[in-house]
Amino acid sequence: MKTSNLLLATQRENPSDAETISHKLMLKAGLIRQVASGIYNWLPLGVKVLRKVENIVRREMEKSGAQEILMPMVQPGELWKESGRWQQYGKELLIFEDRHDREFCLGPTHEEIITDLCRNEIRSHKQLPVIFYQIQTKFRDEIRPRFGVMRSREFIMKDAYSFDLSEQQMDDSYQSMRDAYVRIFNSLGLDYRIVKADSGAIGGADSEEFHVLADSGEDLLAFSDKSDYAINAELLIESKSDQDPRSLEGQDSPDGKGKLKLKRGIEVGHIFKLGRKYSESMKLTVQSENGNIYPEMGCYGIGISRIVAAAIEQNHDDKGIIWSKEISPYTTALVEINPKGEKNLKNLCNQIYTSLKEQGHEVLWDDRDQSAGVKFSDMELIGIPQMIIIGEKSFRENKVEFKMRGEDKIVSLIPDEVLNKIQ
RNA sequence: CGGGGCAUAGCGCAGUCUGGUAGCGCACCUGCUUUGGGAGCAGGUGGUCGCAGGUUCAAAUCCUGCUGCCCCGACCA
């Protein structure tokens, strides 16, 4: 892609409406624009990153044998009344009526829909175990949306639901999803931790959260310095008289091994064992040799759009975003400087651009008629991990330059070498 | 929902106290010159000053009501 054909909506000024770093940078780098409180447009660069994250998630879901489906965002109130959550879920559930005065809500999650789907489609125990997933827009009418897409009302989530014949089988499904999540977060190139969590309004027994570590994270996490023990600090606070979570620092770990250390995290994934909560309330049964049984369910969420913000919270500098190459909108920025000075400079750019594309690299060629400083600043702001610089001086020596985002070092290479250098 | 703040051009802001032809920087358009870290000169485009009432000869400015957005809190995957 050439920048001359791209809606590169970078802004020079800091946006006045944003406080957190990821929110500021997402606006400034032209990834998103706000439409209403907690509701955003995703611009071309932002969508590129979203798709990268989605593709990693999708790849690992498929690898684990989960099947992709797509459920509606608009859901009939009837199903929510059946599960009991029409009353229970609260004002985060955005409710409205259609022209026939039938009640609907915008889906904040999909347990009701998936359970309804499965009770219609799944008859025999031979069809289990099964896991379905979707990547889809959710809506939760947050009391106070904040921090850009980090806590927005409309957001993109991958949610998966497992159905098993026994608790033991459910544990296997849970473990398989957990393994997939580990592969996903490893692939994303983020520093993350898994902690014990509260299962909250979704209901159910065991649950674990995946957190991207960042000082700006909303959640406080507690770790033992001697064992694997890791927990969302909220859970420890509930049982203490001292309500200040920071007081946990240095206390004995509840597992009896070592002392607690605290870190901040952004919750980007949450996996639950639901048990029979929904299968029983919504009468989902399968036939087996022992009669009809209620499947054991599990549900598994990943905040796709939140991951984009979390990645920026964790990886940025004073110049802007620093993407890992796995989720960067482009792997390589190609910056031409003063192409009018040397008439073959443009040709060299074109050759390198074409070759890299043939090698499967996603290259953003900054061919705008702008000064070098503007181009460097923009490419750094939008966080492209590798940059090739082609300017008059080096061109005359038949050299181009290569620079990694986040590093100061610039290396001079002949054009063929740079083709091998790019990853 | 409680507390605090903001609303003037695409972005960032001044002007409001003390009413008198709506401004600045950047961006954008034209032309020329420039070109290795956010270029220069010249000429341009763009705003019912969040909305609705009211006061006044006259309202961005004063008064009343409303709306939207941001931050802190409660809440939340």
Side-chain angles (χ1 to χ4, degrees), chain A residues 218-234:
Chain A
E218 287 190 86
D219 288 288
L220 197 61
L221 315 175
F223 303 91
S224 164
D225 59 0
K226 291 270 164 56
S227 72
D228 292 342
Y229 185 82
I231 188 166
N232 191 317
E234 260 177 47

Side-chain angles (χ1 to χ4, degrees), chain A residues 143-327:
Chain A
I143 296 175
R144 182 153 87 87
R146 60 185 117 175
F147 311 146
V149 299
M150 189 85 78
R151 178 170 297 284
S152 51
R153 293 192 289 174
E154 187 175 299
F155 58 101
I156 299 173
M157 185 171 182
K158 186 284 303 175
D159 46 326
Y161 305 88
S162 64
F163 298 86
D164 286 288
L165 290 170
S166 67
E167 275 188 53
Q168 195 187 340
Q169 256 190 18
M170 171 177 72
D171 291 346
D172 292 344
S173 293
Y174 181 91
Q175 190 59 41
S176 148
M177 281 292 106
R178 191 182 194 277
D179 293 344
Y181 274 41
V182 166
R183 295 196 302 272
I184 287 165
F185 288 105
N186 286 343
S187 295
L188 288 169
L190 299 173
D191 187 15
Y192 70 99
R193 296 288 186 279
I194 305 171
V195 303
K196 279 193 185 44
D198 183 5
S199 51
I202 304 284
D206 290 351
S207 90
E208 289 171 295
E209 292 169 348
F210 288 69
H211 284 261
V212 168
L213 296 183
D215 293 336
S216 56
E218 287 190 86
D219 288 288
L220 197 61
L221 315 175
F223 303 91
S224 164
D225 59 0
K226 291 270 164 56
S227 72
D228 292 342
Y229 185 82
I231 188 166
N232 191 317
E234 260 177 47
L235 285 186
L236 290 181
I237 286 301
E238 283 169 9
S239 55
K240 307 250 175 186
S241 51
D242 186 350
Q243 295 287 302
D244 185 359
R246 286 167 301 184
S247 67
L248 293 168
E249 178 84 41
Q251 288 187 16
D252 288 337
S253 175
D255 70 345
K257 296 173 192 161
K259 305 277 187 196
L260 288 178
K261 298 188 71 173
L262 299 177
K263 286 181 195 290
R264 296 213 146 263
I266 300 163
E267 185 190 349
V268 288
H270 201 160
I271 55 180
F272 300 82
K273 291 177 187 173
L274 291 172
R276 295 184 299 275
K277 177 180 160 100
Y278 295 94
S279 53
E280 282 178 0
S281 65
M282 297 185 66
K283 299 186 173 53
L284 159 64
T285 58
V286 294
Q287 291 186 16
S288 77
E289 50 203 6
N290 305 321
N292 289 348
I293 62 170
Y294 294 108
E296 303 280 343
M297 291 172 58
C299 76
Y300 316 90
I302 289 183
I304 303 282
S305 42
R306 183 181 279 183
I307 282 175
V308 177
I312 296 171
E313 286 298 328
Q314 192 174 81
N315 303 102
H316 64 269
D317 63 13
D318 56 345
K319 290 173 177 165
I321 301 167
I322 305 176
W323 295 118
S324 66
K325 79 170 194 295
E326 287 76 14
I327 60 174

Side-chain angles (χ1 to χ4, degrees), chain A residues 315-373:
Chain A
N315 303 102
H316 64 269
D317 63 13
D318 56 345
K319 290 173 177 165
I321 301 167
I322 305 176
W323 295 118
S324 66
K325 79 170 194 295
E326 287 76 14
I327 60 174
S328 179
Y330 295 91
T331 61
T332 310
L334 177 61
V335 176
E336 60 174 37
I337 299 168
N338 191 18
K340 289 170 190 160
E342 288 281 351
K343 61 180 181 221
N344 285 322
L345 197 151
K346 199 101 181 170
N347 290 337
L348 177 60
C349 288
N350 200 21
Q351 280 170 28
I352 289 180
Y353 177 67
T354 306
S355 300
L356 285 173
K357 285 216 300 187
E358 281 169 1
Q359 289 176 20
H361 298 294
E362 296 164 290
V363 185
L364 183 61
W365 176 2
D366 197 346
D367 63 338
R368 294 174 296 172
D369 187 14
Q370 289 282 355
S371 71

Side-chain angles (χ1 to χ4, degrees), chain A residues 18-60:
Chain A
E19 293 287 322
T20 50
I21 286 165
S22 62
H23 190 193
K24 274 185 196 163
L25 287 176
M26 289 182 80
L27 290 166
K28 199 172 178 186
L31 272 58
I32 56 168
R33 289 289 185 263
Q34 179 165 289
V35 174
S37 180
I39 298 176
Y40 292 85
N41 283 321
W42 286 79
L43 306 187
L45 277 183
V47 170
K48 282 263 182 197
V49 180
L50 272 182
R51 295 291 174 256
K52 291 286 180 76
V53 175
E54 284 177 12
N55 288 341
I56 290 172
V57 170
R58 187 173 278 119
R59 183 187 74 206
E60 297 305 331

